[in-house]
Amino acid sequence: MTVSVLPRGLRGALAVAALALFAGSAPAQAGKITVYTSYEEDELAAFLDKAKKDLPDIEVDVLRLSTGDLRARMLAEASNPKHDVIWGWAATSMVDPRILGMLEPYEAKGLDKVPARFRDAQNRWFATTGYMGAFCVNNEIMKAENLPMPATWQDLLKPEYKGRLVMPNPASSGTGYLHVASILQMMGEDKGWAFLDALDKNMAQYIKSGSKPCNVASAGEYAIGISFALRAIKNIEEGYPITMVVPSEGAGHELEAAALMKSSQNKADARRFLDWILTRAAADEYNNWKSIVTMSDRVMPERFMKAGLPADISTVLFDVDYAWAAENRDRIVAEWQKRYEK
């Protein structure tokens, strides 16, 4: 597989320099596909390096943009899409009816390894990876101040936690939105907003980044950071004195989905690439980077379980309605801002 990076047309987007190492001469009869993605640069480079070994006769041009920028790009190109495959993109964006209309159903080889909750019933998209919410709890603060270890969302309402919590702002952070959207779904909107009102009374601040609440809790600035699991795992591995807590009600999460474009002029190679996404080789590489790998034959890394994830990740995930989260995003964020932004 030969990989090159297309120029970006949107402000603030940077080329994935790490992918330059994949550039080279394709075989004379090589196929060629264009892939749009929102995977982070480092994990994207690792995934493509693995794919290169298994699909040496496919040349891949990759455009990487953030989820929102990629959404804007796809909608702007709706009348004449420029790519063959979309890969590693938020399911809550993929289920936009305008996007779904661009996708061609394809039952990729190995799709039976992906539980139904992680794929479209009409085979328009499937997700092999994702990320999930978690609390980062500073053990030293909890011990020094004799604070109870939380196990649930409801525990965070305890008066002892007043001024000790931080979480991402859902207006700027996908992690923040997955927390808010999952609370409103699991509790119902009336009870969910009442819970968020009560949680706000204990909140020290809302932070733009999804990872920073965990980082500041790890550094001892706050007792509890509401963040995501992989950030907690990495901080634990780096020696920070934190415990990762997955709320027992279930963790909100976002999937990173893949799909075939109807407009693709290279469907045979695009389908081969989508098949590869579901291989054991791909899953082994996902395991190094992702808290959520959806395939049923996944072997959870020992280091992830040591940090607190179960062997079967599906047992701790809240069953998110991705379409609802997508359809109601603007309304929910506007309501959240009206209530809590000061």
Side-chain angles (χ1 to χ4, degrees):
M1 175 181 294
T2 303
V3 179
S4 58
V5 182
L6 296 177
R8 290 185 173 177
L10 296 179
R11 180 171 58 87
L14 298 176
V16 186
L19 297 185
L21 63 93
F22 302 131
S25 298
Q29 300 301 316
K32 182 175 181 178
I33 62 173
T34 298
V35 176
Y36 284 5
T37 186
S38 289
Y39 276 132
E40 294 298 321
E41 287 92 340
D42 51 359
E43 62 194 25
L44 174 60
F47 298 160
L48 286 172
D49 188 42
K50 183 72 73 170
K52 172 187 174 184
K53 295 178 174 64
D54 295 339
L55 301 172
D57 60 330
I58 299 178
E59 180 181 352
V60 178
D61 285 332
V62 177
L63 174 71
R64 187 211 169 268
L65 296 172
S66 67
T67 296
D69 284 352
L70 190 49
R71 181 190 187 92
R73 174 87 174 214
M74 289 187 65
L75 293 175
E77 295 177 350
S79 62
N80 185 26
K82 305 296 185 183
H83 59 300
D84 302 288
V85 170
I86 186 159
W87 177 41
W89 195 45
T92 52
S93 292
M94 194 80 84
V95 298
D96 184 320
R98 297 170 295 177
I99 302 297
L100 288 175
M102 303 181 201
L103 309 181
E104 178 171 308
Y106 174 56
E107 188 172 352
K109 294 177 183 177
L111 190 59
D112 59 331
K113 293 183 291 187
V114 178
R117 67 193 288 196
F118 302 129
R119 52 188 165 100
D120 178 56
Q122 299 178 42
N123 291 329
R124 292 170 294 184
W125 61 266
F126 63 89
T128 54
T129 61
Y131 57 95
M132 57 181 281
F135 308 155
C136 298
V137 184
N138 186 290
N139 300 325
E140 294 177 347
I141 293 177
M142 305 302 277
K143 181 178 180 180
E145 303 189 20
N146 197 29
L147 297 172
M149 180 67 67
T152 69
W153 278 106
Q154 292 293 334
D155 285 345
L156 298 187
L157 303 186
K158 292 179 178 179
E160 302 98 299
Y161 294 144
K162 185 175 178 62
R164 301 180 183 278
L165 310 181
V166 288
M167 73 172 284
N169 184 326
S172 59
S173 165
T175 302
Y177 182 69
L178 74 82
H179 285 304
V180 172
S182 62
I183 286 168
L184 295 177
Q185 287 186 43
M186 72 174 64
M187 298 182 185
E189 288 209 44
D190 289 344
K191 291 182 179 179
W193 284 116
F195 172 83
L196 291 168
D197 287 344
L199 186 67
D200 180 65
K201 293 180 171 60
N202 279 354
M203 198 64 58
Q205 64 172 300
Y206 298 102
I207 299 175
K208 289 184 177 181
S209 162
S211 59
K212 192 171 180 181
C214 188
N215 291 339
V216 296
S218 299
E221 296 177 39
Y222 296 96
I224 301 171
I226 301 169
S227 186
F228 60 94
L230 195 62
R231 181 72 269 163
I233 291 168
K234 288 184 175 180
N235 286 10
I236 289 169
E237 291 177 343
E238 290 173 9
Y240 288 97
I242 62 169
T243 293
M244 177 176 69
V245 174
V246 178
S248 63
E249 298 97 333
H253 63 280
E254 178 65 273
L255 297 179
E256 295 161 318
L260 174 67
M261 298 298 294
K262 280 182 183 177
S263 57
S264 170
Q265 300 298 305
N266 310 288
K267 286 182 181 174
D269 288 321
R271 290 180 180 124
R272 287 181 61 204
F273 185 80
L274 288 166
D275 292 344
W276 176 83
I277 290 170
L278 291 162
T279 62
R280 177 78 267 161
D284 288 345
E285 192 60 40
Y286 301 150
N287 265 355
N288 294 326
W289 298 90
K290 293 296 180 181
S291 57
I292 297 176
V293 178
T294 65
M295 289 117 90
S296 56
D297 59 353
R298 181 199 194 175
V299 178
M300 181 66 72
E302 185 66 31
R303 63 192 181 90
F304 286 13
M305 290 192 287
K306 185 177 180 181
L309 288 185
D312 181 0
I313 200 72
S314 67
T315 62
V316 297
L317 298 180
F318 176 72
D319 195 7
V320 172
D321 183 335
Y322 308 112
W324 183 92
E327 292 165 7
N328 291 280
R329 185 185 187 102
D330 291 346
R331 175 180 65 83
I332 288 169
V333 168
E335 179 66 19
W336 188 93
Q337 289 176 310
K338 182 175 73 173
R339 289 173 180 251
Y340 311 123
E341 283 196 342
K342 301 174 176 65

